[in-house]
């Protein structure tokens, strides 16, 4: 079946940039998504990118999509302690396929 | 308006019991989704409704799991003869019109089967 893979952990210092990477197998997805989950909470939609785009910027967030390699990344500029959470990449339409999540730890 | 709401927020039950989990989607959203998230994992798709009908129920793990959406708004996920392995967070999401539309998630129901 379709699959999404992410690295499990990332630790950065406050003020640095964070880059979270994701690979996916479903080449038919029209959109690819990034969700954020804080402890004990539901999923918050952060951003998404249309599959025919290479890049999308939204304030501190930059999404890069390499459709040939099926690689998606999320860059968070000027990372803050409030950005500490688990970040999920998801592909698909209707039925979303999620990665295992990347736990981002931001140290002051 | 309000986001997706789910009740109860927590449910503790005993092995073998029946449970119902409720989801109220965002008003006007015709598509509704159920996912299950086990500890340390990403959400896994269970079922997707477009209006009152199940458009895709390929993620339901077995026939103990059933979901309904009789009036095209509120949905109930029903689990019969619960097992300890059913313990997870059950997430509901809705989208404006389904398929490629962005999904907005509720806070989830944390189910613990003892």
């Amino acid at each position: 079946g379709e699959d999404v893979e992410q690295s499990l952990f990332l630790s950065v210092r406050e003020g640095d940039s964070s880059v979270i990477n994701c690979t996916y197998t479903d080449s038919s997805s029209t959109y690819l998504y990034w969700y954020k989950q804080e402890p004990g909470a539901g999923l918050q939609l952060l951003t998404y990118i249309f599959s025919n785009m290479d890049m999308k910027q939204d304030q501190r967030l930059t999404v890069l999509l390499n459709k040939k390699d099926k690689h998606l990344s999320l860059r968070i500029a000027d990372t803050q302690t409030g950005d500490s959470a688990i970040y999920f990449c998801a592909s698909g339409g209707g039925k979303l396929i999620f990665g295992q999540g990347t736990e981002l730890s931001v140290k002051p | 308006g309000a986001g997706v709401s789910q009740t109860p927020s927590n449910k503790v039950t005993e092995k073998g019991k029946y449970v119902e989990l409720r989801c109220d989607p965002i008003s006007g959203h015709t598509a509704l989704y159920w996912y299950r998230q086990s500890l340390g994992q990403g959400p896994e798709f269970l079922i997707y409704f477009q209006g009152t009908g199940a458009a895709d129920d390929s993620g339901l793990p077995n026939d103990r799991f059933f979901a309904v959406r009789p009036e095209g708004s509120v949905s109930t996920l029903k689990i019969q003869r619960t097992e300890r392995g059913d313990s997870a967070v059950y997430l509901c999401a809705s989208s404006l019109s389904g398929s490629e539309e962005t999904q907005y998630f509720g806070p989830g129901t944390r189910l613990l089967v003892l």
Side-chain angles (χ1 to χ4, degrees), chain A residues 28-31 33 35 37 39-45 48 88 92-101, chain B residues 33 35 37 40-45 48 56 58-59 91 98-108 110:
Chain A
S28 66
S29 296
T30 303
Y31 293 97
Y33 302 89
Y35 284 87
Q37 188 174 40
L43 294 169
Q44 173 195 349
L45 177 68
Y48 60 92
F88 291 95
K95 171 183 177 177
L96 289 180
I97 307 296
F98 284 86
Q100 199 170 351
Chain B
Y33 312 80
Y35 293 83
Q37 186 176 22
Q41 303 295 317
E44 292 178 307
F45 171 80
Y48 152 44
D56 183 349
S58 61
L91 295 166
S99 192
E100 303 295 344
E101 293 283 340
T102 300
Q103 296 180 29
Y104 296 91
F105 281 79
R110 192 173 302 271

Side-chain angles (χ1 to χ4, degrees), chain A residues 5-77:
Chain A
E5 297 280 341
Q6 298 178 241
S7 53
L8 295 183
F9 300 100
L10 176 64
S11 181
V12 300
R13 291 240 171 248
E14 192 171 22
D16 288 350
S17 290
S18 307
V19 180
I20 302 171
N21 295 300
C22 167
T23 57
Y24 61 95
T25 58
D26 181 7
S27 56
S28 66
S29 296
T30 303
Y31 293 97
L32 293 142
Y33 302 89
W34 285 102
Y35 284 87
K36 176 183 180 183
Q37 188 174 40
E38 295 181 86
L43 294 169
Q44 173 195 349
L45 177 68
L46 272 184
T47 187
Y48 60 92
I49 186 167
F50 190 50
S51 60
N52 70 354
M53 296 172 65
D54 298 324
M55 185 180 88
K56 179 180 179 181
Q57 187 146 4
D58 184 359
Q59 299 183 336
R60 292 191 297 123
L61 305 178
T62 303
V63 179
L64 296 178
L65 174 59
N66 181 327
K67 202 171 179 183
K68 173 176 167 290
D69 293 339
K70 296 182 185 174
H71 182 268
L72 184 72
S73 69
L74 174 70
R75 178 177 180 270
I76 306 172

Side-chain angles (χ1 to χ4, degrees), chain B residues 36-39 83-90 111-114:
Chain B
R36 178 168 72 173
Q37 186 176 22
S38 300
L39 196 62
E83 298 177 358
R84 292 195 179 91
D86 298 334
S87 297
V89 176
Y90 289 81
L111 176 66
L112 177 61
V113 182
L114 300 176

